[in-house]
Amino acid sequence: MTTAAFDGAPTRDWMNRFAASVYATEAELTELDQRVGDGDFGNNLAAGVRAAQRLLDAAGEGAGPSETGPSETLGCMATAFLDEIGGTSGPLFGLLFQALSRAASGSGLTTGGLADGVEQGLAAIRRVGDAAPGDKTLVDALTPAAAALRAAGDVPPADALALAADAAWQGVRDTAGLAARMGRASYLGERVTGIPDPGAVGVALLFASAVDSVRSLAPHLPDAG
């Protein structure tokens, strides 16, 4: 196995698959968020990847995907989500992309760099959002994903991201049994029991897209009833 770092092309492919996954599941994300939140999560996530695509196209003018570095690609994602997307989750995803962009500078996106970036993004999200594991937020998917990346050791980045995706999906399923302690869902009491957190689903989509596009959320989620 090779431990080569992600360079420009695989990082751009990962972000393109993430965008495709968001577009394919936007209606499901919206329906899920209508049950526990404001109902705008799917639209916000789609607006984020759409804005990022415009920035990436501008950055890539005159250069191929392989010539746009991973740090630059992830930096465009961060700018789009931090500067152009409202709501709560958009800026939090921006912080994650910002940390990954910093981790990718220099030698590209290694497995160790992925672990560093996700851990730093998680720390920034927790500082800003004041959420902890168990609060039924995206932190419940990002925390096990970060742990999986750190435990992956010297495996290639693509394999490490697949392990992170498995851990994040389990985190998503675990949120279904949690009582919400943050955001609008916290006011809905037992009405949100059995429903996974949409932000956690977005995190799992990101890691799963490193392997392939997700065409439907249904195979990954518990039956919400």
Side-chain angles (χ1 to χ4, degrees):
M1 291 191 296
T2 176
T3 58
F6 269 21
D7 59 15
T11 304
R12 180 65 182 267
D13 288 345
W14 176 19
M15 294 302 110
N16 286 341
R17 283 193 296 271
F18 177 51
S21 296
V22 170
Y23 296 143
T25 61
E26 182 178 352
E28 289 177 280
L29 289 168
T30 297
E31 181 180 1
L32 193 62
D33 196 36
Q34 285 171 340
R35 303 180 68 177
V36 301
D38 297 329
D40 59 358
F41 180 69
N43 291 338
N44 284 341
L45 209 57
V49 295
R50 196 175 296 115
Q53 190 70 52
R54 290 194 295 270
L55 294 175
L56 287 166
D57 288 345
E61 286 183 2
S66 63
E67 298 172 271
T68 303
S71 182
E72 186 176 12
T73 293
L74 293 162
C76 288
M77 299 292 294
T79 298
F81 277 88
L82 285 170
D83 293 354
E84 301 193 34
I85 306 305
T88 302
S89 295
L92 298 183
F93 273 83
L95 290 173
L96 176 58
F97 286 123
Q98 188 177 63
L100 284 169
S101 175
R102 289 171 179 159
S105 63
S107 59
L109 202 53
T110 63
T111 295
L114 281 163
D116 290 343
V118 172
E119 286 174 351
Q120 290 163 14
L122 174 61
I125 287 168
R126 291 193 61 181
R127 281 196 303 272
V128 170
D130 201 28
D135 284 346
K136 197 180 179 91
T137 72
L138 62 82
V139 166
D140 290 302
L142 195 54
T143 299
L149 287 168
R150 181 59 67 196
D154 198 33
V155 306
D159 294 346
L161 285 163
L163 295 171
D166 289 342
W169 282 125
Q170 185 56 55
V172 167
R173 290 187 285 272
D174 290 345
T175 63
L178 295 173
R181 293 198 290 260
M182 302 288 290
R184 181 174 179 272
S186 64
Y187 300 105
L188 299 178
E190 293 185 358
R191 291 167 56 188
V192 301
T193 300
I195 304 173
D197 177 71
V201 173
V203 167
L205 273 183
L206 173 62
F207 290 112
S209 299
V211 180
D212 201 359
S213 297
V214 177
R215 312 310 302 176
S216 171
L217 298 180
H220 305 283
L221 304 185
D223 183 359

PDB file of all heavy atoms in Angstrom, residues 12 15-16 18-19 23 45-59 72-81 84-85 97:
ATOM      1  N   ARG A  12      -9.791  17.407  -5.212  1.00  0.00           N
ATOM      2  CA  ARG A  12     -10.887  18.010  -5.986  1.00  0.00           C
ATOM      3  C   ARG A  12     -11.966  16.965  -6.285  1.00  0.00           C
ATOM      4  O   ARG A  12     -13.162  17.268  -6.223  1.00  0.00           O
ATOM      5  CB  ARG A  12     -10.326  18.611  -7.294  1.00  0.00           C
ATOM      6  CG  ARG A  12     -11.374  19.276  -8.179  1.00  0.00           C
ATOM      7  CD  ARG A  12     -11.982  20.501  -7.515  1.00  0.00           C
ATOM      8  NE  ARG A  12     -13.005  21.109  -8.349  1.00  0.00           N
ATOM      9  CZ  ARG A  12     -12.783  22.091  -9.215  1.00  0.00           C
ATOM     10  NH1 ARG A  12     -11.551  22.594  -9.343  1.00  0.00           N
ATOM     11  NH2 ARG A  12     -13.762  22.597  -9.927  1.00  0.00           N
ATOM     12  N   MET A  15     -14.121  16.567  -3.232  1.00  0.00           N
ATOM     13  CA  MET A  15     -15.066  17.675  -3.063  1.00  0.00           C
ATOM     14  C   MET A  15     -16.173  17.629  -4.129  1.00  0.00           C
ATOM     15  O   MET A  15     -17.326  17.976  -3.853  1.00  0.00           O
ATOM     16  CB  MET A  15     -14.325  19.015  -3.123  1.00  0.00           C
ATOM     17  CG  MET A  15     -13.370  19.234  -1.954  1.00  0.00           C
ATOM     18  SD  MET A  15     -14.205  19.164  -0.321  1.00  0.00           S
ATOM     19  CE  MET A  15     -13.538  17.615   0.326  1.00  0.00           C
ATOM     20  N   ASN A  16     -15.830  17.205  -5.339  1.00  0.00           N
ATOM     21  CA  ASN A  16     -16.865  17.064  -6.375  1.00  0.00           C
ATOM     22  C   ASN A  16     -17.880  15.992  -5.993  1.00  0.00           C
ATOM     23  O   ASN A  16     -19.088  16.158  -6.210  1.00  0.00           O
ATOM     24  CB  ASN A  16     -16.223  16.725  -7.727  1.00  0.00           C
ATOM     25  CG  ASN A  16     -15.531  17.916  -8.364  1.00  0.00           C
ATOM     26  OD1 ASN A  16     -15.812  19.065  -8.008  1.00  0.00           O
ATOM     27  ND2 ASN A  16     -14.633  17.652  -9.291  1.00  0.00           N
ATOM     28  N   PHE A  18     -18.560  15.087  -2.939  1.00  0.00           N
ATOM     29  CA  PHE A  18     -19.337  15.639  -1.813  1.00  0.00           C
ATOM     30  C   PHE A  18     -20.476  16.511  -2.357  1.00  0.00           C
ATOM     31  O   PHE A  18     -21.621  16.400  -1.911  1.00  0.00           O
ATOM     32  CB  PHE A  18     -18.424  16.447  -0.896  1.00  0.00           C
ATOM     33  CG  PHE A  18     -19.140  17.108   0.257  1.00  0.00           C
ATOM     34  CD1 PHE A  18     -19.981  16.385   1.092  1.00  0.00           C
ATOM     35  CD2 PHE A  18     -18.966  18.463   0.509  1.00  0.00           C
ATOM     36  CE1 PHE A  18     -20.638  16.997   2.159  1.00  0.00           C
ATOM     37  CE2 PHE A  18     -19.616  19.082   1.567  1.00  0.00           C
ATOM     38  CZ  PHE A  18     -20.456  18.345   2.387  1.00  0.00           C
ATOM     39  N   ALA A  19     -20.161  17.352  -3.326  1.00  0.00           N
ATOM     40  CA  ALA A  19     -21.203  18.191  -3.925  1.00  0.00           C
ATOM     41  C   ALA A  19     -22.294  17.328  -4.554  1.00  0.00           C
ATOM     42  O   ALA A  19     -23.496  17.586  -4.369  1.00  0.00           O
ATOM     43  CB  ALA A  19     -20.589  19.119  -4.969  1.00  0.00           C
ATOM     44  N   TYR A  23     -26.282  17.281  -3.502  1.00  0.00           N
ATOM     45  CA  TYR A  23     -27.377  17.528  -4.451  1.00  0.00           C
ATOM     46  C   TYR A  23     -28.339  16.325  -4.483  1.00  0.00           C
ATOM     47  O   TYR A  23     -29.557  16.495  -4.529  1.00  0.00           O
ATOM     48  CB  TYR A  23     -26.831  17.778  -5.851  1.00  0.00           C
ATOM     49  CG  TYR A  23     -25.988  19.022  -5.976  1.00  0.00           C
ATOM     50  CD1 TYR A  23     -24.862  19.039  -6.797  1.00  0.00           C
ATOM     51  CD2 TYR A  23     -26.307  20.188  -5.287  1.00  0.00           C
ATOM     52  CE1 TYR A  23     -24.078  20.176  -6.914  1.00  0.00           C
ATOM     53  CE2 TYR A  23     -25.522  21.327  -5.396  1.00  0.00           C
ATOM     54  CZ  TYR A  23     -24.407  21.322  -6.218  1.00  0.00           C
ATOM     55  OH  TYR A  23     -23.629  22.447  -6.329  1.00  0.00           O
ATOM     56  N   LEU A  45     -26.637  23.460   2.822  1.00  0.00           N
ATOM     57  CA  LEU A  45     -25.488  22.650   2.413  1.00  0.00           C
ATOM     58  C   LEU A  45     -25.315  22.701   0.890  1.00  0.00           C
ATOM     59  O   LEU A  45     -24.193  22.812   0.382  1.00  0.00           O
ATOM     60  CB  LEU A  45     -25.683  21.209   2.885  1.00  0.00           C
ATOM     61  CG  LEU A  45     -24.426  20.391   3.178  1.00  0.00           C
ATOM     62  CD1 LEU A  45     -23.547  21.056   4.227  1.00  0.00           C
ATOM     63  CD2 LEU A  45     -24.794  18.980   3.636  1.00  0.00           C
ATOM     64  N   ALA A  46     -26.436  22.644   0.172  1.00  0.00           N
ATOM     65  CA  ALA A  46     -26.363  22.725  -1.291  1.00  0.00           C
ATOM     66  C   ALA A  46     -25.860  24.089  -1.734  1.00  0.00           C
ATOM     67  O   ALA A  46     -25.062  24.194  -2.685  1.00  0.00           O
ATOM     68  CB  ALA A  46     -27.741  22.440  -1.892  1.00  0.00           C
ATOM     69  N   ALA A  47     -26.307  25.150  -1.056  1.00  0.00           N
ATOM     70  CA  ALA A  47     -25.824  26.493  -1.405  1.00  0.00           C
ATOM     71  C   ALA A  47     -24.323  26.602  -1.148  1.00  0.00           C
ATOM     72  O   ALA A  47     -23.603  27.259  -1.909  1.00  0.00           O
ATOM     73  CB  ALA A  47     -26.578  27.537  -0.587  1.00  0.00           C
ATOM     74  N   GLY A  48     -23.846  25.949  -0.096  1.00  0.00           N
ATOM     75  CA  GLY A  48     -22.422  25.984   0.217  1.00  0.00           C
ATOM     76  C   GLY A  48     -21.571  25.330  -0.862  1.00  0.00           C
ATOM     77  O   GLY A  48     -20.568  25.892  -1.303  1.00  0.00           O
ATOM     78  N   VAL A  49     -21.966  24.135  -1.276  1.00  0.00           N
ATOM     79  CA  VAL A  49     -21.144  23.450  -2.289  1.00  0.00           C
ATOM     80  C   VAL A  49     -21.281  24.151  -3.648  1.00  0.00           C
ATOM     81  O   VAL A  49     -20.340  24.146  -4.456  1.00  0.00           O
ATOM     82  CB  VAL A  49     -21.490  21.947  -2.398  1.00  0.00           C
ATOM     83  CG1 VAL A  49     -21.144  21.233  -1.101  1.00  0.00           C
ATOM     84  CG2 VAL A  49     -22.948  21.720  -2.753  1.00  0.00           C
ATOM     85  N   ARG A  50     -22.440  24.770  -3.895  1.00  0.00           N
ATOM     86  CA  ARG A  50     -22.619  25.521  -5.149  1.00  0.00           C
ATOM     87  C   ARG A  50     -21.696  26.750  -5.162  1.00  0.00           C
ATOM     88  O   ARG A  50     -21.036  27.037  -6.173  1.00  0.00           O
ATOM     89  CB  ARG A  50     -24.081  25.931  -5.298  1.00  0.00           C
ATOM     90  CG  ARG A  50     -24.482  26.379  -6.694  1.00  0.00           C
ATOM     91  CD  ARG A  50     -25.968  26.657  -6.773  1.00  0.00           C
ATOM     92  NE  ARG A  50     -26.768  25.466  -6.540  1.00  0.00           N
ATOM     93  CZ  ARG A  50     -27.587  25.282  -5.503  1.00  0.00           C
ATOM     94  NH1 ARG A  50     -27.753  26.236  -4.602  1.00  0.00           N
ATOM     95  NH2 ARG A  50     -28.261  24.166  -5.376  1.00  0.00           N
ATOM     96  N   ALA A  51     -21.639  27.459  -4.050  1.00  0.00           N
ATOM     97  CA  ALA A  51     -20.755  28.623  -3.951  1.00  0.00           C
ATOM     98  C   ALA A  51     -19.289  28.195  -4.053  1.00  0.00           C
ATOM     99  O   ALA A  51     -18.463  28.873  -4.679  1.00  0.00           O
ATOM    100  CB  ALA A  51     -21.007  29.356  -2.638  1.00  0.00           C
ATOM    101  N   ALA A  52     -18.963  27.074  -3.426  1.00  0.00           N
ATOM    102  CA  ALA A  52     -17.589  26.573  -3.489  1.00  0.00           C
ATOM    103  C   ALA A  52     -17.213  26.218  -4.922  1.00  0.00           C
ATOM    104  O   ALA A  52     -16.073  26.457  -5.353  1.00  0.00           O
ATOM    105  CB  ALA A  52     -17.437  25.366  -2.573  1.00  0.00           C
ATOM    106  N   GLN A  53     -18.156  25.631  -5.657  1.00  0.00           N
ATOM    107  CA  GLN A  53     -17.876  25.260  -7.048  1.00  0.00           C
ATOM    108  C   GLN A  53     -17.493  26.494  -7.865  1.00  0.00           C
ATOM    109  O   GLN A  53     -16.569  26.443  -8.689  1.00  0.00           O
ATOM    110  CB  GLN A  53     -19.106  24.590  -7.672  1.00  0.00           C
ATOM    111  CG  GLN A  53     -18.860  23.957  -9.041  1.00  0.00           C
ATOM    112  CD  GLN A  53     -17.977  22.726  -8.952  1.00  0.00           C
ATOM    113  OE1 GLN A  53     -18.255  21.837  -8.172  1.00  0.00           O
ATOM    114  NE2 GLN A  53     -16.905  22.704  -9.728  1.00  0.00           N
ATOM    115  N   ARG A  54     -18.191  27.601  -7.633  1.00  0.00           N
ATOM    116  CA  ARG A  54     -17.856  28.833  -8.366  1.00  0.00           C
ATOM    117  C   ARG A  54     -16.436  29.285  -8.022  1.00  0.00           C
ATOM    118  O   ARG A  54     -15.672  29.697  -8.904  1.00  0.00           O
ATOM    119  CB  ARG A  54     -18.862  29.936  -8.018  1.00  0.00           C
ATOM    120  CG  ARG A  54     -20.263  29.705  -8.578  1.00  0.00           C
ATOM    121  CD  ARG A  54     -21.097  30.980  -8.501  1.00  0.00           C
ATOM    122  NE  ARG A  54     -21.342  31.402  -7.128  1.00  0.00           N
ATOM    123  CZ  ARG A  54     -22.389  31.004  -6.400  1.00  0.00           C
ATOM    124  NH1 ARG A  54     -23.285  30.183  -6.915  1.00  0.00           N
ATOM    125  NH2 ARG A  54     -22.552  31.443  -5.161  1.00  0.00           N
ATOM    126  N   LEU A  55     -16.076  29.237  -6.754  1.00  0.00           N
ATOM    127  CA  LEU A  55     -14.734  29.642  -6.346  1.00  0.00           C
ATOM    128  C   LEU A  55     -13.673  28.702  -6.916  1.00  0.00           C
ATOM    129  O   LEU A  55     -12.604  29.143  -7.342  1.00  0.00           O
ATOM    130  CB  LEU A  55     -14.640  29.666  -4.821  1.00  0.00           C
ATOM    131  CG  LEU A  55     -15.491  30.717  -4.100  1.00  0.00           C
ATOM    132  CD1 LEU A  55     -15.381  30.542  -2.588  1.00  0.00           C
ATOM    133  CD2 LEU A  55     -15.055  32.121  -4.496  1.00  0.00           C
ATOM    134  N   LEU A  56     -13.987  27.400  -6.908  1.00  0.00           N
ATOM    135  CA  LEU A  56     -13.023  26.424  -7.442  1.00  0.00           C
ATOM    136  C   LEU A  56     -12.837  26.598  -8.939  1.00  0.00           C
ATOM    137  O   LEU A  56     -11.715  26.488  -9.446  1.00  0.00           O
ATOM    138  CB  LEU A  56     -13.510  25.005  -7.123  1.00  0.00           C
ATOM    139  CG  LEU A  56     -13.382  24.584  -5.662  1.00  0.00           C
ATOM    140  CD1 LEU A  56     -14.192  23.318  -5.389  1.00  0.00           C
ATOM    141  CD2 LEU A  56     -11.912  24.345  -5.320  1.00  0.00           C
ATOM    142  N   ASP A  57     -13.931  26.877  -9.646  1.00  0.00           N
ATOM    143  CA  ASP A  57     -13.814  27.106 -11.085  1.00  0.00           C
ATOM    144  C   ASP A  57     -12.951  28.332 -11.364  1.00  0.00           C
ATOM    145  O   ASP A  57     -12.119  28.329 -12.281  1.00  0.00           O
ATOM    146  CB  ASP A  57     -15.205  27.291 -11.696  1.00  0.00           C
ATOM    147  CG  ASP A  57     -15.997  25.989 -11.760  1.00  0.00           C
ATOM    148  OD1 ASP A  57     -15.378  24.920 -11.592  1.00  0.00           O
ATOM    149  OD2 ASP A  57     -17.218  26.048 -11.948  1.00  0.00           O
ATOM    150  N   ALA A  58     -13.141  29.379 -10.568  1.00  0.00           N
ATOM    151  CA  ALA A  58     -12.346  30.593 -10.750  1.00  0.00           C
ATOM    152  C   ALA A  58     -10.878  30.331 -10.439  1.00  0.00           C
ATOM    153  O   ALA A  58      -9.981  30.791 -11.148  1.00  0.00           O
ATOM    154  CB  ALA A  58     -12.882  31.713  -9.855  1.00  0.00           C
ATOM    155  N   ALA A  59     -10.629  29.544  -9.373  1.00  0.00           N
ATOM    156  CA  ALA A  59      -9.248  29.235  -8.993  1.00  0.00           C
ATOM    157  C   ALA A  59      -8.568  28.355 -10.029  1.00  0.00           C
ATOM    158  O   ALA A  59      -7.353  28.413 -10.200  1.00  0.00           O
ATOM    159  CB  ALA A  59      -9.222  28.543  -7.632  1.00  0.00           C
ATOM    160  N   GLU A  72      -5.614  24.789  -1.454  1.00  0.00           N
ATOM    161  CA  GLU A  72      -6.400  25.798  -2.146  1.00  0.00           C
ATOM    162  C   GLU A  72      -7.846  25.320  -2.339  1.00  0.00           C
ATOM    163  O   GLU A  72      -8.802  26.089  -2.150  1.00  0.00           O
ATOM    164  CB  GLU A  72      -5.767  26.119  -3.493  1.00  0.00           C
ATOM    165  CG  GLU A  72      -6.435  27.274  -4.218  1.00  0.00           C
ATOM    166  CD  GLU A  72      -5.702  27.605  -5.507  1.00  0.00           C
ATOM    167  OE1 GLU A  72      -4.844  26.814  -5.929  1.00  0.00           O
ATOM    168  OE2 GLU A  72      -6.002  28.663  -6.087  1.00  0.00           O
ATOM    169  N   THR A  73      -8.003  24.054  -2.733  1.00  0.00           N
ATOM    170  CA  THR A  73      -9.353  23.498  -2.928  1.00  0.00           C
ATOM    171  C   THR A  73     -10.155  23.554  -1.628  1.00  0.00           C
ATOM    172  O   THR A  73     -11.294  24.023  -1.598  1.00  0.00           O
ATOM    173  CB  THR A  73      -9.249  22.042  -3.409  1.00  0.00           C
ATOM    174  OG1 THR A  73      -8.683  22.036  -4.715  1.00  0.00           O
ATOM    175  CG2 THR A  73     -10.622  21.369  -3.444  1.00  0.00           C
ATOM    176  N   LEU A  74      -9.552  23.094  -0.541  1.00  0.00           N
ATOM    177  CA  LEU A  74     -10.247  23.107   0.745  1.00  0.00           C
ATOM    178  C   LEU A  74     -10.435  24.529   1.255  1.00  0.00           C
ATOM    179  O   LEU A  74     -11.414  24.826   1.945  1.00  0.00           O
ATOM    180  CB  LEU A  74      -9.470  22.259   1.750  1.00  0.00           C
ATOM    181  CG  LEU A  74      -9.468  20.755   1.410  1.00  0.00           C
ATOM    182  CD1 LEU A  74      -8.340  20.036   2.149  1.00  0.00           C
ATOM    183  CD2 LEU A  74     -10.813  20.126   1.757  1.00  0.00           C
ATOM    184  N   GLY A  75      -9.514  25.430   0.892  1.00  0.00           N
ATOM    185  CA  GLY A  75      -9.672  26.834   1.261  1.00  0.00           C
ATOM    186  C   GLY A  75     -10.873  27.463   0.566  1.00  0.00           C
ATOM    187  O   GLY A  75     -11.579  28.288   1.161  1.00  0.00           O
ATOM    188  N   CYS A  76     -11.123  27.093  -0.687  1.00  0.00           N
ATOM    189  CA  CYS A  76     -12.319  27.581  -1.390  1.00  0.00           C
ATOM    190  C   CYS A  76     -13.584  27.074  -0.703  1.00  0.00           C
ATOM    191  O   CYS A  76     -14.575  27.815  -0.570  1.00  0.00           O
ATOM    192  CB  CYS A  76     -12.296  27.127  -2.848  1.00  0.00           C
ATOM    193  SG  CYS A  76     -11.087  27.978  -3.887  1.00  0.00           S
ATOM    194  N   MET A  77     -13.563  25.809  -0.276  1.00  0.00           N
ATOM    195  CA  MET A  77     -14.712  25.273   0.453  1.00  0.00           C
ATOM    196  C   MET A  77     -14.938  26.068   1.739  1.00  0.00           C
ATOM    197  O   MET A  77     -16.076  26.420   2.085  1.00  0.00           O
ATOM    198  CB  MET A  77     -14.476  23.798   0.800  1.00  0.00           C
ATOM    199  CG  MET A  77     -14.293  22.861  -0.395  1.00  0.00           C
ATOM    200  SD  MET A  77     -15.771  22.634  -1.394  1.00  0.00           S
ATOM    201  CE  MET A  77     -16.854  21.782  -0.259  1.00  0.00           C
ATOM    202  N   ALA A  78     -13.859  26.367   2.451  1.00  0.00           N
ATOM    203  CA  ALA A  78     -13.973  27.119   3.705  1.00  0.00           C
ATOM    204  C   ALA A  78     -14.540  28.509   3.457  1.00  0.00           C
ATOM    205  O   ALA A  78     -15.447  28.960   4.166  1.00  0.00           O
ATOM    206  CB  ALA A  78     -12.600  27.208   4.378  1.00  0.00           C
ATOM    207  N   THR A  79     -14.025  29.186   2.456  1.00  0.00           N
ATOM    208  CA  THR A  79     -14.492  30.547   2.161  1.00  0.00           C
ATOM    209  C   THR A  79     -15.975  30.544   1.822  1.00  0.00           C
ATOM    210  O   THR A  79     -16.733  31.404   2.285  1.00  0.00           O
ATOM    211  CB  THR A  79     -13.683  31.132   0.996  1.00  0.00           C
ATOM    212  OG1 THR A  79     -12.314  31.210   1.381  1.00  0.00           O
ATOM    213  CG2 THR A  79     -14.179  32.517   0.627  1.00  0.00           C
ATOM    214  N   ALA A  80     -16.388  29.593   1.008  1.00  0.00           N
ATOM    215  CA  ALA A  80     -17.794  29.533   0.600  1.00  0.00           C
ATOM    216  C   ALA A  80     -18.701  29.336   1.809  1.00  0.00           C
ATOM    217  O   ALA A  80     -19.710  30.030   1.968  1.00  0.00           O
ATOM    218  CB  ALA A  80     -17.990  28.401  -0.408  1.00  0.00           C
ATOM    219  N   PHE A  81     -18.358  28.397   2.667  1.00  0.00           N
ATOM    220  CA  PHE A  81     -19.232  28.097   3.808  1.00  0.00           C
ATOM    221  C   PHE A  81     -19.155  29.176   4.894  1.00  0.00           C
ATOM    222  O   PHE A  81     -20.156  29.460   5.550  1.00  0.00           O
ATOM    223  CB  PHE A  81     -18.884  26.723   4.399  1.00  0.00           C
ATOM    224  CG  PHE A  81     -19.524  25.579   3.661  1.00  0.00           C
ATOM    225  CD1 PHE A  81     -18.909  24.996   2.572  1.00  0.00           C
ATOM    226  CD2 PHE A  81     -20.767  25.097   4.046  1.00  0.00           C
ATOM    227  CE1 PHE A  81     -19.506  23.952   1.870  1.00  0.00           C
ATOM    228  CE2 PHE A  81     -21.379  24.058   3.361  1.00  0.00           C
ATOM    229  CZ  PHE A  81     -20.748  23.483   2.267  1.00  0.00           C
ATOM    230  N   GLU A  84     -20.514  32.841   2.784  1.00  0.00           N
ATOM    231  CA  GLU A  84     -21.708  32.951   1.949  1.00  0.00           C
ATOM    232  C   GLU A  84     -22.916  32.178   2.459  1.00  0.00           C
ATOM    233  O   GLU A  84     -24.003  32.304   1.902  1.00  0.00           O
ATOM    234  CB  GLU A  84     -21.384  32.501   0.509  1.00  0.00           C
ATOM    235  CG  GLU A  84     -20.262  33.326  -0.125  1.00  0.00           C
ATOM    236  CD  GLU A  84     -20.162  33.106  -1.618  1.00  0.00           C
ATOM    237  OE1 GLU A  84     -21.198  32.905  -2.265  1.00  0.00           O
ATOM    238  OE2 GLU A  84     -19.023  33.134  -2.134  1.00  0.00           O
ATOM    239  N   ILE A  85     -22.745  31.356   3.508  1.00  0.00           N
ATOM    240  CA  ILE A  85     -23.848  30.517   3.962  1.00  0.00           C
ATOM    241  C   ILE A  85     -24.303  30.934   5.356  1.00  0.00           C
ATOM    242  O   ILE A  85     -23.486  31.069   6.277  1.00  0.00           O
ATOM    243  CB  ILE A  85     -23.426  29.022   3.984  1.00  0.00           C
ATOM    244  CG1 ILE A  85     -22.884  28.630   2.615  1.00  0.00           C
ATOM    245  CG2 ILE A  85     -24.615  28.139   4.368  1.00  0.00           C
ATOM    246  CD1 ILE A  85     -23.840  28.908   1.458  1.00  0.00           C
ATOM    247  N   PHE A  97     -13.519  22.853   7.067  1.00  0.00           N
ATOM    248  CA  PHE A  97     -12.741  22.961   5.824  1.00  0.00           C
ATOM    249  C   PHE A  97     -11.510  23.851   6.015  1.00  0.00           C
ATOM    250  O   PHE A  97     -10.454  23.593   5.433  1.00  0.00           O
ATOM    251  CB  PHE A  97     -13.631  23.523   4.705  1.00  0.00           C
ATOM    252  CG  PHE A  97     -14.626  22.527   4.173  1.00  0.00           C
ATOM    253  CD1 PHE A  97     -15.978  22.804   4.195  1.00  0.00           C
ATOM    254  CD2 PHE A  97     -14.208  21.319   3.636  1.00  0.00           C
ATOM    255  CE1 PHE A  97     -16.904  21.890   3.706  1.00  0.00           C
ATOM    256  CE2 PHE A  97     -15.126  20.395   3.145  1.00  0.00           C
ATOM    257  CZ  PHE A  97     -16.477  20.686   3.175  1.00  0.00           C
TER     258      PHE A  97
END
